[in-house]
Amino acid sequence: MVTETTDFELARFLPYRMTVAAERLSAGMAKRYSDEFGISVAEWRILVHVADSDAVSIREIHQRVHLEKSKASRAASRLEAAGYLSKQVNDQDRRLISLTLTEKGRELMDRLLPVARDFQARLDALLAPYNDALDSALEIMMEGDL
Amino acid sequence: MVTETTDFELARFLPYRMTVAAERLSAGMAKRYSDEFGISVAEWRILVHVADSDAVSIREIHQRVHLEKSKASRAASRLEAAGYLSKQVNDQDRRLISLTLTEKGRELMDRLLPVARDFQARLDALLAPYNDALDSALEIMMEGDL
DNA sequence: TTGACATCGTTGCAAGTGCAACAAATAGTC
DNA sequence: GACTATTTGTTGCACTTGCAACGATGTCAA
C-alpha cells in the first residue's frame, strides 16, 4: 500500500494562514465598533465607498470593493432600511441606482472612520519592520498570476 | 457642519486587503481541485488534520484549525456521508468522537496533498523575496495583541 | 452515592450566502 | 423605428453560517 506521506502542515499552508489572519484582523476591527453600531463587513465596505465618492451604483460597489452584486444589493437595502443610505434611480441611466449617505449615515461615518484610522495606525506600528514587504506580497497575492 | 474628511482608502485598509488576498488564494487552490472533488474549505481543513493525526475529535479540530465547532461538526458529517471519513464514539470518553479516514478518504488525500504542495511551492516562488517578512507579519497578525 | 457543575457534539432557528433566472432599461444594428 | 443583445439590480431557492440551547456524558467534592 503506497500511501502519500501525510506530513503536510496546514499551519504552513498560505491560503489557510492568510484566511485565519484576515479573520482575526476583521474581528479586531469589528470589536471596536460592532457593539456600538451593528455593521457587517459588507455594509462597512459600502459605507466607505459611498462616503468618499457619493452617488455610487451597486455595480460600482460590486467592481470596486469585491462584493458579489447580490450581496452588495442586499447590504445596501439593509443600510437603507437602517436609515444610513438613500437609494434613488439614476436619471441618466435608469437601470442604475444612486446610493448616497443620509445625514445619519454621515454621522455614523464621522464616528467610524476615526476608529478605522486608529486601527490601521495600530497595525502599521505593530508591523512596522515588515510593512513594505507585506505590501509587495499582498500586491502579488491580489493581482499576480497564481 | 463639521464633517470628517472622508479621504479614507479602503484599498489601504489592512483587514480589507488581507480578506481579499485570502479569498483569492483560497479560490486559486479551489480551482485546482474543486471541479474534480467537491470539497469545501472546512472539509479540506478537517481532512488534512485527520490525515496526519488520526482519531481526531471535533473539539480538537475546533481548536486546531480554526473552525466553529458546529461548522466542524457539520463538515465532518458531510465527509462521513460522502464516504471519506468514519465517525465512532471514543471508548475512553464517550462524549468524544473519533474521526478516521476511510480507505476512500486516504485515496482522496493521496491526490489532494500533492496539489496543495504544488500550490504552496508556486506561492513560495512567487513571493520569494518577501517570504520571511510575510511569515513574521502573519505571526503578528495571528498571535499578536491587536 | 449523590448532586452540582463542566464538557462534547448536535441541532433549531434566524439570518446570510452564491447562483441562476428574471424584468426593466439601454445600446447597437439594420 | 424595430429587433436583438447587453447591462443592471433584485429575487427565489437551496444551502451555509453563527449562536444559543440541548441531551448525553464525565468530573469533582461533600
Side-chain angles (χ1 to χ4, degrees), chain B residues 101-115:
Chain B
L101 283 187
T102 61
E103 185 54 30
K104 186 180 172 191
R106 216 168 292 116
E107 284 165 11
L108 176 67
M109 292 314 276
D110 285 353
R111 290 194 292 164
L112 234 38
L113 287 177
V115 175

Side-chain angles (χ1 to χ4, degrees), chain B:
Chain B
M1 184 179 65
V2 183
T3 309
E4 257 287 328
T5 76
T6 59
D7 66 335
F8 175 82
E9 288 198 64
L10 194 60
R12 298 229 152 278
F13 190 50
L14 195 56
Y16 170 71
R17 298 170 82 199
M18 286 291 295
T19 301
V20 173
E23 281 170 1
R24 192 145 188 271
L25 294 195
S26 291
M29 173 64 187
K31 196 180 175 185
R32 290 156 199 251
Y33 68 71
S34 69
D35 291 337
E36 203 167 349
F37 331 94
I39 298 296
S40 76
V41 171
E43 287 155 9
W44 156 251
R45 289 191 196 172
I46 292 180
L47 284 171
V48 170
H49 193 54
V50 175
D52 85 341
S53 52
D54 58 25
V56 180
S57 67
I58 296 286
R59 156 173 150 276
E60 217 173 320
I61 289 171
H62 164 56
Q63 293 169 340
R64 304 263 302 259
V65 298
H66 285 86
L67 285 181
E68 279 293 316
K69 70 175 181 172
S70 65
K71 200 171 177 178
S73 169
R74 292 194 251 235
S77 295
R78 287 195 296 266
L79 288 170
E80 187 194 25
Y84 296 127
L85 230 63
S86 127
K87 283 202 263 188
Q88 55 200 60
V89 276
N90 183 321
D91 283 330
Q92 274 75 44
D93 184 338
R94 298 177 53 201
R95 291 171 303 182
L96 300 183
I97 278 192
S98 289
L99 297 174
T100 329
L101 283 187
T102 61
E103 185 54 30
K104 186 180 172 191
R106 216 168 292 116
E107 284 165 11
L108 176 67
M109 292 314 276
D110 285 353
R111 290 194 292 164
L112 234 38
L113 287 177
V115 175
R117 285 202 194 88
D118 285 357
F119 190 49
Q120 180 65 50
R122 166 117 185 100
L123 293 174
D124 283 344
L126 273 176
L127 299 169
Y130 316 111
N131 260 332
D132 289 349
L134 180 58
D135 259 33
S136 305
L138 280 168
E139 191 72 27
I140 293 172
M141 290 187 259
M142 295 197 299
E143 312 287 345
D145 193 12
L146 306 183

